[in-house]
Amino acid sequence: MAKYIFVTGGVTSSLGKGIIAASLAKLLQARGLKVTIQKFDPYINVDPGTLNPYEHGECYVTDDGAETDLDLGHYERFLNTPTSQANNVTTGRIYQTVINKEREGAYLGKTVQVIPHITDEIKRRMLLLGKEGKYDIIITELGGTVGDIESLPFVESVRQMQWEMPEEDCMVVHLTLIPYLSAAKELKTKPTQHSVRLLSQEGVHPDVIVCRTEQPLNNDLKKKIALFCNVKPNAVIEAMDASSIYEVPLMMLQEGLDLIVLKKLQINGYAAPELTKWRAFLDKLKYPKTKVTIGLIGKYIELQDAYKSILESFVHAGAMNECKVKVVDVHSETITEDNVAEKLSKLDGLLVAPGFGNRGVEGKITAVKYARENNLPFFGICLGMQMAVIEYGRNVLGWSDANSTEMVKDTAHPVIDLMEEQKDITNKGGTMRLGAYPCTIKEGTLAHTIYGATEISERHRHRWEFNNKFLADYEKAGLVPSGKNPSNNLVEIVELPNHPFFIGVQYHPELKSTVENPQPIFVHFVKAAKAFAEKRDAVKNPLLQSEMI
């Protein structure tokens, strides 16, 4: 039988429950246990697919086509194992299920209430992954903060789980904040005491308290927290701010979080944690040999979480190349023909990010043109790939009105068009082309060099595609469709063979990059950026130029 760990949060949001959950899972996995993590979000959206990135960060997509919370990306990046629809549940999905059952008459005339019907559905989904027989431990992260009205049914469900299950099969880890008051020059435990008291009032008693802090916790502070929060002193865990999220597992290992969990859950015979690859990755991350600057052209750059998976993919690819990747945000709405050289001339590579809608697209097209004409390494993802196709149509094929029907419905050259199966769809939620799809790669291309294979699978999230009516014209003009979907012949990858590095992909490769398996396009893109930087430096420095010759 699987054992269950619940991770709750108090005092404030954005403390890093997902990172703590993923770090604990990594440590348990490194000891040979089979672990997965699930996220329960308290908002009423059925999933985050219809949320603006400014609202909730990026929407992470799983192989089976679920639009999920971005924390699932952390789970996959840490554990190197895929998640699924079952790993992310929202209040909206819970209520939708219960209401559908009520309409079907499944409750036999009973009054449908939060307790027991909503909480029973929450518990059913909490236990779902454990019934597969694939995992020893299920870690469940509860979104939101203890005390939020919308979180109450989830906390109540955890209370019932604690009451129903044997003590050694269920535990609660509570993440809280120990603020440092610079005026008083001391850490304050009162917010944590109030947070734990509030959780206890709702019937849930934490077994471990993880304390986010800017300053180290001394033993006296740990004893104070333990006394007032009713846990053992060794169950008060210090979680100092880290320079990288990937350092957190080792910090939790040093604090003994995994050992406390193993003892509480009465798991014996475990091995010492095997973290050789993880430590090697961190070593490369901390001590890079070179540095490159990549421009991220997007329209949600004010919120870093909007491009979380892309940024983390650069971390993985940078470590693989022993290179520090500095990502410079460039808002696409600010790019014009007059200032594009000024904004992009100091970059070593250019990534045009995904997105929806026509805001900022002309700036993206202008940026693509600059990269193509100046041999600047270019990588376009989803909308970024579509912008590359539009730019090529306008400036190489001579179709000045080339566009996507997403932006201009009646353009004479709809080089990007709505997929046939999308044309009659009216509901926006969960109706895009979602999840993993196969792609066949043409041999002898850049894409083939990158992947080292002719058959791959990548995750999608889009409605518009390359319009095959114009494919022959593009091929004749030199743009190579190096990857296609084998079942419908839709173009998945485009590239320019007469360019140092120019590739656009319809899918989202950033969703599959992990610490142990960095995404190959990102790895090769960073490698190309390094070569570009070295060549430019050699031109500036005659001594370096002679050494290269």
Side-chain angles (χ1 to χ4, degrees):
M1 292 291 292
K3 295 178 183 284
Y4 294 84
I5 302 170
F6 297 95
V7 179
T8 61
V11 183
T12 181
S13 60
S14 302
L15 283 182
K17 291 192 302 294
I19 301 301
I20 291 297
S23 297
L24 174 57
K26 184 64 192 177
L27 294 179
L28 296 172
Q29 183 192 60
R31 290 183 179 275
L33 294 162
K34 292 172 288 185
V35 189
T36 191
I37 319 175
Q38 54 190 358
K39 175 78 180 288
F40 280 66
D41 277 306
Y43 50 75
I44 298 176
N45 303 66
V46 173
D47 60 46
T50 57
L51 287 173
N52 187 302
Y54 285 131
E55 288 282 325
H56 207 66
E58 75 171 6
C59 177
Y60 190 81
V61 179
T62 59
D63 276 340
D64 63 353
E67 293 179 289
T68 71
D69 184 80
L70 61 83
D71 272 326
L72 269 71
H74 291 312
Y75 305 162
E76 291 199 11
R77 287 187 282 271
F78 275 60
L79 296 181
N80 199 39
T81 55
T83 54
S84 69
Q85 179 79 64
N87 291 79
N88 192 201
V89 181
T90 68
T91 291
R93 193 173 294 280
I94 296 291
Y95 273 84
Q96 185 182 60
T97 301
V98 171
I99 290 170
N100 288 343
K101 284 184 177 180
E102 186 274 330
R103 292 291 83 189
E104 294 164 4
Y107 298 117
L108 300 175
K110 293 283 187 181
T111 301
V112 180
Q113 298 176 291
V114 173
I115 302 173
H117 301 97
I118 296 299
T119 52
D120 281 353
E121 178 60 23
I122 292 173
K123 289 190 295 179
R124 184 186 73 82
R125 290 179 180 266
M126 285 178 170
L127 295 168
L128 211 54
L129 288 168
K131 291 180 178 178
E132 294 180 4
K134 293 163 54 178
Y135 304 106
D136 301 311
I137 296 176
I138 313 292
I139 298 177
T140 302
E141 177 193 347
L142 300 190
T145 307
V146 170
D148 296 345
I149 291 174
E150 57 265 34
S151 297
L152 288 173
F154 294 103
V155 175
E156 167 61 19
S157 299
V158 173
R159 183 195 71 79
Q160 292 181 25
M161 294 272 282
Q162 279 188 311
W163 180 69
E164 293 167 357
M165 300 180 75
E167 283 192 20
E168 67 274 13
D169 287 351
C170 178
M171 68 178 294
V172 175
V173 175
H174 187 61
L175 177 63
T176 182
L177 176 68
I178 307 291
Y180 178 76
L181 298 186
S182 55
K185 292 185 171 55
E186 62 179 341
L187 293 162
K188 291 296 185 181
T189 65
K190 194 62 73 176
T192 291
Q193 294 177 44
H194 285 306
S195 175
V196 173
R197 185 176 300 163
L198 189 58
L199 186 62
S200 299
Q201 285 173 354
E202 293 172 7
V204 175
H205 305 288
D207 301 284
V208 177
I209 298 173
V210 178
C211 303
R212 277 299 304 274
T213 174
E214 296 176 8
Q215 302 288 334
L217 299 180
N218 57 43
N219 287 331
D220 288 340
L221 272 176
K222 286 189 174 185
K223 287 178 181 178
K224 182 179 180 181
I225 293 168
L227 176 64
F228 283 99
C229 298
N230 199 33
V231 298
K232 299 295 183 184
N234 69 339
V236 178
I237 302 296
E238 175 188 288
M240 286 273 290
D241 291 350
S243 59
S244 166
I245 59 172
Y246 301 107
E247 293 179 3
V248 179
L250 298 186
M251 293 166 63
M252 294 301 99
L253 178 68
Q254 188 174 355
E255 285 289 300
L257 177 60
D258 55 329
L259 290 174
I260 295 166
V261 167
L262 292 170
K263 184 177 180 181
K264 165 65 180 175
L265 298 179
Q266 296 183 18
I267 298 173
N268 303 310
Y270 46 82
E274 173 48 58
L275 292 165
T276 305
K277 287 184 179 179
W278 196 270
R279 293 180 189 276
F281 161 77
L282 276 177
D283 190 59
K284 290 181 180 179
L285 186 64
K286 287 182 179 180
Y287 307 107
K289 295 179 180 178
T290 57
K291 177 183 176 181
V292 296
T293 303
I294 303 293
L296 174 63
I297 313 297
K299 58 181 181 179
Y300 308 114
I301 60 172
E302 295 89 346
L303 182 68
Q304 288 291 291
D305 278 355
Y307 302 112
K308 192 63 178 176
S309 290
I310 290 174
L311 297 176
E312 295 307 319
S313 296
F314 276 128
V315 174
H316 309 153
M320 178 67 77
N321 282 282
E322 297 184 87
C323 175
K324 169 70 175 176
V325 179
K326 179 185 178 183
V327 178
V328 176
D329 296 323
V330 184
H331 203 299
S332 56
E333 285 188 287
T334 67
I335 300 173
T336 65
E337 289 283 356
D338 294 332
N339 66 20
V340 63
E342 177 190 345
K343 287 182 175 291
L344 308 185
S345 60
K346 295 180 181 179
L347 300 176
D348 304 315
L350 186 75
L351 185 144
V352 177
F356 293 94
N358 59 10
R359 183 171 65 89
V361 297
E362 292 301 324
K364 290 185 176 184
I365 293 168
T366 301
V368 174
K369 180 184 177 185
Y370 178 89
R372 180 178 59 81
E373 293 181 343
N374 291 276
N375 287 328
L376 179 66
F378 167 79
F379 182 13
I381 298 177
C382 199
L383 184 66
M385 172 264 208
Q386 296 171 8
M387 296 300 100
V389 170
I390 293 170
E391 189 279 325
Y392 205 79
R394 290 182 184 181
N395 300 310
V396 178
L397 286 158
W399 302 330
S400 60
D401 63 345
N403 219 317
S404 166
T405 55
E406 181 183 8
M407 319 307 168
V408 180
K409 290 184 178 180
D410 57 352
T411 177
H413 291 92
V415 296
I416 303 295
D417 198 8
L418 197 62
M419 299 173 67
E420 279 302 318
E421 61 264 33
Q422 293 287 322
K423 290 183 177 178
D424 296 324
I425 288 174
T426 55
N427 288 341
K428 298 299 182 186
T431 56
M432 283 185 276
R433 191 180 193 217
L434 294 165
Y437 285 87
C439 175
T440 300
I441 295 177
K442 187 183 296 184
E443 291 188 21
T445 60
L446 174 60
H448 185 248
T449 300
I450 288 171
Y451 280 100
T454 55
E455 301 294 332
I456 64 167
S457 174
E458 292 282 6
R459 298 177 189 175
H460 291 244
R461 184 176 184 252
H462 57 97
R463 298 185 193 278
W464 278 264
E465 288 273 3
F466 185 100
N467 190 342
N468 277 344
K469 293 178 183 177
F470 300 94
L471 182 56
D473 296 296
Y474 274 93
E475 288 187 278
K476 188 176 179 180
L479 191 71
V480 176
S482 54
K484 293 182 179 180
N485 182 284
S487 61
N488 55 24
N489 211 37
L490 288 171
V491 175
E492 300 275 19
I493 310 173
V494 296
E495 61 182 68
L496 283 177
N498 58 345
H499 192 283
F501 191 97
F502 191 102
I503 192 166
V505 298
Q506 181 61 78
Y507 48 83
H508 287 261
E510 72 275 16
L511 298 178
K512 293 182 72 173
S513 187
T514 69
V515 168
E516 293 186 20
N517 289 300
Q519 213 286 331
I521 304 182
F522 280 88
V523 173
H524 282 76
F525 179 49
V526 172
K527 184 179 179 181
K530 278 177 62 181
F532 181 87
E534 288 167 3
K535 184 177 179 181
R536 184 180 56 195
D537 290 343
V539 170
K540 291 180 181 178
N541 190 332
L543 293 176
L544 287 174
Q545 192 173 21
S546 61
E547 286 178 11
M548 290 182 72
I549 295 171

